[in-house]
Amino acid sequence: MPIPEDVTGDEIDRDVKQELQSLPKTLAEDVAKNLVMVARLIDEDPEGAYGYSKVALRLASRVAAVREAAGFAAYANQKYSEALAEFRAARRMTGTVDLWPVMADCERGLGRPEKALDMAGAPEVHKLDKAGQVEMRLVAAGARRDMGQLDAAIVTLQSPELASNSVQPWTARLRYAYADALLAAGREPEAREWFAKAVEADRDGSTDASDRLAELDGVEFVDALSEDGADESGESAHSPEPADTSSEDVEGGEAGDKD
């Protein structure tokens, strides 16, 4: 697959670069460039990222970072069986438990929420860092919802991390998941409160909490221009003498995680 000229391979993390040192130099450079493309495309073009991950996998299947990247690319394309196989391979190579939550979420994607809950109670969870433990809690709550256990999902999300006023990288997603579960349970006032808290913590737009909050408040966003390029007064958007009005940009986050 084509590699843009601005991609050198040096953009990868130091740890990954060290893993690739076991390969011949030219091969390592090719693998690194494909891994860069996976990281660059995985959010906006998951199919493209998947293609580059398959190239990297063909070139260096014995490198843990490559198996992990292939797993995330498959996961982004909802190829959960393939993703789980790659994550398991990466875990065998490294011996770490970092991928445990996403492996459990793959089990959810495969329609096995009970297995995800078993993994949430496994000893490996205690070896995760705080971010990993929060991620595992989100997956477990999602599994509960998959099984129709809405009240149990709400209880699962109630934790010191949820109650904390400190904003961490996971805070917005945790508050969002809690608000969404409350709303599903018909507890709208509480849901609104927690969507508002999610908005406060969502500094990078990782959720659509602001849109959900506006929806609960009955706010509707409409385009300033109609389909034919005229505004509501009937004047063209390209009028040489536009009305003296001002507009504000409305920012909206991306959809939240599947919980």
Side-chain angles (χ1 to χ4, degrees):
M1 297 182 67
I3 303 291
E5 293 182 1
D6 65 318
V7 174
T8 65
D10 292 331
E11 300 90 341
I12 61 174
D13 293 340
R14 181 181 303 176
D15 292 343
V16 178
K17 189 175 296 186
Q18 289 179 344
E19 282 193 61
L20 296 181
Q21 288 180 354
S22 62
L23 303 174
K25 183 178 180 180
T26 302
L27 179 59
E29 292 175 352
D30 289 342
V31 173
K33 290 178 181 179
N34 280 280
L35 292 180
V36 170
M37 293 304 299
V38 173
R40 177 180 289 190
L41 298 175
I42 196 164
D43 291 328
E44 297 182 0
D45 181 12
E47 289 186 8
Y50 180 75
Y52 283 102
S53 75
K54 299 300 284 187
V55 174
L57 192 60
R58 187 173 67 249
L59 295 174
S61 62
R62 295 185 180 182
V63 176
V66 171
R67 302 303 289 265
E68 183 174 332
F72 277 110
Y75 179 81
N77 284 274
Q78 300 183 4
K79 298 178 183 292
Y80 298 116
S81 180
E82 183 177 338
L84 184 57
E86 296 300 340
F87 290 142
R88 284 173 173 168
R91 182 168 179 264
R92 285 195 300 269
M93 293 176 180
T94 63
T96 65
V97 297
D98 296 346
L99 295 171
W100 196 252
V102 71
M103 290 169 62
D105 206 38
C106 285
E107 295 287 0
R108 283 187 60 207
L110 291 169
R112 301 194 291 250
E114 298 89 350
K115 178 61 176 177
L117 286 177
D118 287 344
M119 293 179 68
E124 284 83 354
V125 176
H126 300 294
K127 301 177 184 179
L128 295 168
D129 60 15
K130 181 61 67 175
Q133 291 178 4
V134 171
E135 193 66 33
M136 193 71 248
R137 187 177 294 275
L138 288 167
V139 173
R144 290 292 185 188
R145 292 190 64 171
D146 294 343
M147 298 168 67
Q149 301 173 1
L150 193 52
D151 290 340
I154 292 172
V155 171
T156 298
L157 293 168
Q158 293 171 345
S159 62
E161 293 80 18
L162 179 67
S164 175
N165 291 323
S166 175
V167 176
Q168 302 294 334
W170 61 78
T171 302
R173 292 177 59 242
L174 183 60
R175 293 177 179 178
Y176 182 96
Y178 189 58
D180 191 52
L182 289 170
L183 187 61
R187 296 161 60 176
E188 185 171 316
E190 293 172 86
R192 191 207 174 281
E193 175 187 353
W194 282 97
F195 275 126
K197 290 182 178 181
V199 171
E200 293 175 359
D202 195 359
R203 297 169 179 172
D204 59 358
S206 61
T207 75
D208 64 347
S210 60
D211 292 341
R212 299 292 298 278
L213 181 61
E215 182 180 349
L216 287 175
D217 289 342
V219 177
E220 294 185 5
F221 296 99
V222 297
D223 291 336
L225 303 178
S226 63
E227 293 182 359
D228 60 1
D231 63 19
E232 293 181 352
S233 68
E235 295 179 354
S236 169
H238 303 289
S239 172
E241 296 181 3
D244 183 14
T245 59
S246 61
S247 63
E248 296 181 355
D249 292 333
V250 178
E251 297 184 355
E254 297 180 354
D257 64 292
K258 65 195 298 179
D259 303 319

